[in-house]
Amino acid sequence: MTTKSLLSTVSLALLLGGAATAAQAQIPIGHLADYSGATSEVGTPYGQGVADTFAWVNKNGGVGSKQINVDTNDYGYQVPHAIAVYENW
């Protein structure tokens, strides 16, 4: 995954999260990560990049002065688990 793609994904998540939660003190964002499972070789560095990006955003003032609350879930490349987590959000 290129840096441009990662930043585009994060930007979209921030935009959607920020618009939906403008009245809250924190902005909740869900992040499905593949730290284990069949594609963890790619998923681990990608997931760490996403986590680092959100940490950087929070360290630099957040979005509209609001901190991002990231709920990261390792779905282990198991689609039923990923769907259950997504529906929970």
Side-chain angles (χ1 to χ4, degrees):
M1 170 130 322
T2 66
T3 303
K4 185 177 179 180
S5 296
L6 175 62
L7 291 176
S8 296
T9 302
V10 170
S11 296
L12 179 60
L14 291 174
L15 178 64
L16 294 175
T21 61
Q24 295 180 353
Q26 288 188 336
I27 302 169
I29 293 181
H31 173 221
L32 285 173
D34 187 17
Y35 292 132
S36 61
T39 59
S40 64
E41 185 175 315
V42 175
T44 298
Y46 176 80
Q48 290 170 342
V50 171
D52 289 347
T53 300
F54 284 128
W56 181 88
V57 170
N58 280 338
K59 182 179 176 184
N60 289 283
V63 176
S65 299
K66 297 178 184 176
Q67 294 292 294
I68 299 169
N69 181 14
V70 183
D71 181 19
T72 300
N73 287 274
D74 177 14
Y75 72 102
Y77 202 64
Q78 301 294 319
V79 174
H81 181 67
I83 291 171
V85 169
Y86 182 80
E87 288 175 345
N88 235 5
W89 286 330

